[in-house]
Structure formats: structure tokens, C-alpha cells
Amino acid sequence: MSEIQGIGSVEIAADILEVVSKHDGPVRAIDIAKVMGFSKSRLHKYLVSLCRTGLLQQGSETGLYSPGYALVNLSRAAERQNQLLIQVNQARCRFI
């Protein structure tokens, strides 16, 4: 049975977002690169794209990376959908 092939760059970007999200605050590119096992130059291309899309933001003075507005918006949308599913499930349980 063959595995469905995905897009590696998307998966790498998701991994980078996860690394950033696990830090308590903004994180240095070199620290992300170490966790990912990437050179800083390879990581830089991903960071540029993630910042352009708003998934990450880079501090203008510090150069550190943190979640961007688009990532925050996605998180809020997921939370709203989860809450809706919880409400539907609770209502369904009342009828069972």
C-alpha cells in the first residue's frame, strides 16, 4: 500500500510554526534552525515566506520571531469551530 504524498515545504513550514509556538516568547532564528536541524540560510527562506503570509512576525528591533496575526486568526477560528462542535455534541447527548 502506497502512502499519499504531500508537499514537503508545507510540512516543514508547519514544523517551524510548531517550534515557534512552543517557546514562551519570541525566538531567535538560530534556535529554530538548531531544533529543525537546518542551516540558518535554509531556514531563512521559510521564515521570509512565513512572515510575508502573516503566520510569523519578526520584531523590527530584536529580529526575533513570534506568531503572526494570520496564525492568531487561524487559532481563533479553530477555537470557535471547536466550541461549536462541543455545543452540538452536548445538545446531541441531551437527546440520547
Side-chain angles (χ1 to χ4, degrees), residues 41-57:
S41 61
R42 180 176 179 204
L43 176 70
H44 180 72
K45 292 178 182 184
Y46 288 96
L47 294 175
V48 167
S49 292
L50 289 168
C51 287
R52 284 182 183 166
T53 60
L55 293 169
L56 287 181
Q57 63 183 8

Side-chain angles (χ1 to χ4, degrees), residues 46-88:
Y46 288 96
L47 294 175
V48 167
S49 292
L50 289 168
C51 287
R52 284 182 183 166
T53 60
L55 293 169
L56 287 181
Q57 63 183 8
Q58 183 179 24
S60 58
E61 292 182 18
T62 64
L64 301 178
Y65 294 90
S66 57
Y69 67 89
L71 192 59
V72 172
N73 289 341
L74 286 170
S75 175
R76 288 180 181 153
E79 186 175 337
R80 280 192 308 272
Q81 288 182 9
N82 263 349
Q83 287 301 320
L84 179 60
L85 289 173
I86 289 168
Q87 291 171 357
V88 167

Side-chain angles (χ1 to χ4, degrees), residues 86-96:
I86 289 168
Q87 291 171 357
V88 167
N89 191 41
Q90 288 172 343
R92 192 182 73 119
C93 288
R94 285 193 294 266
F95 291 107
I96 295 178

Side-chain angles (χ1 to χ4, degrees), residues 2-8 11:
S2 66
E3 221 177 284
I4 296 175
Q5 203 169 19
I7 300 172
E11 294 170 8

